[in-house]
Amino acid sequence: MTRAEVKDKINQIIDRLPDQTLEAVYELFEKADKDRGIDLTANLDKVLKEDFGLLQRLAK
């Protein structure tokens, strides 16, 4: 997938997220942007695995 395609798919998902989840995702991205030493891939995977139930409830 091209960078543009990935961004488009991410934007489609973002448009469906509830505000609280969107803010949490933003905060994670903000921290990763400020601290280049953060392994964002591992952090996202961990958050999604640990908080999947919470994210499902927030999405409703």
Side-chain angles (χ1 to χ4, degrees), residues 5-18:
E5 290 170 327
V6 171
K7 284 179 152 184
D8 184 51
K9 290 190 179 291
I10 290 170
N11 282 327
Q12 289 173 17
I13 294 168
I14 286 172
D15 288 340
R16 295 189 306 262
L17 290 176

Side-chain angles (χ1 to χ4, degrees), residues 15-53:
D15 288 340
R16 295 189 306 262
L17 290 176
D19 291 345
Q20 192 173 17
T21 303
L22 186 59
E23 287 177 26
V25 171
Y26 168 75
E27 289 171 8
L28 182 60
F29 285 168
E30 178 108 31
K31 288 178 187 176
D33 186 44
K34 288 180 181 176
D35 182 357
R36 300 296 178 167
I38 292 177
D39 182 357
L40 187 58
T41 303
N43 285 341
L44 279 173
D45 188 52
K46 181 179 177 183
V47 166
L48 291 175
K49 284 180 180 175
E50 290 178 358
D51 297 331
F52 185 70

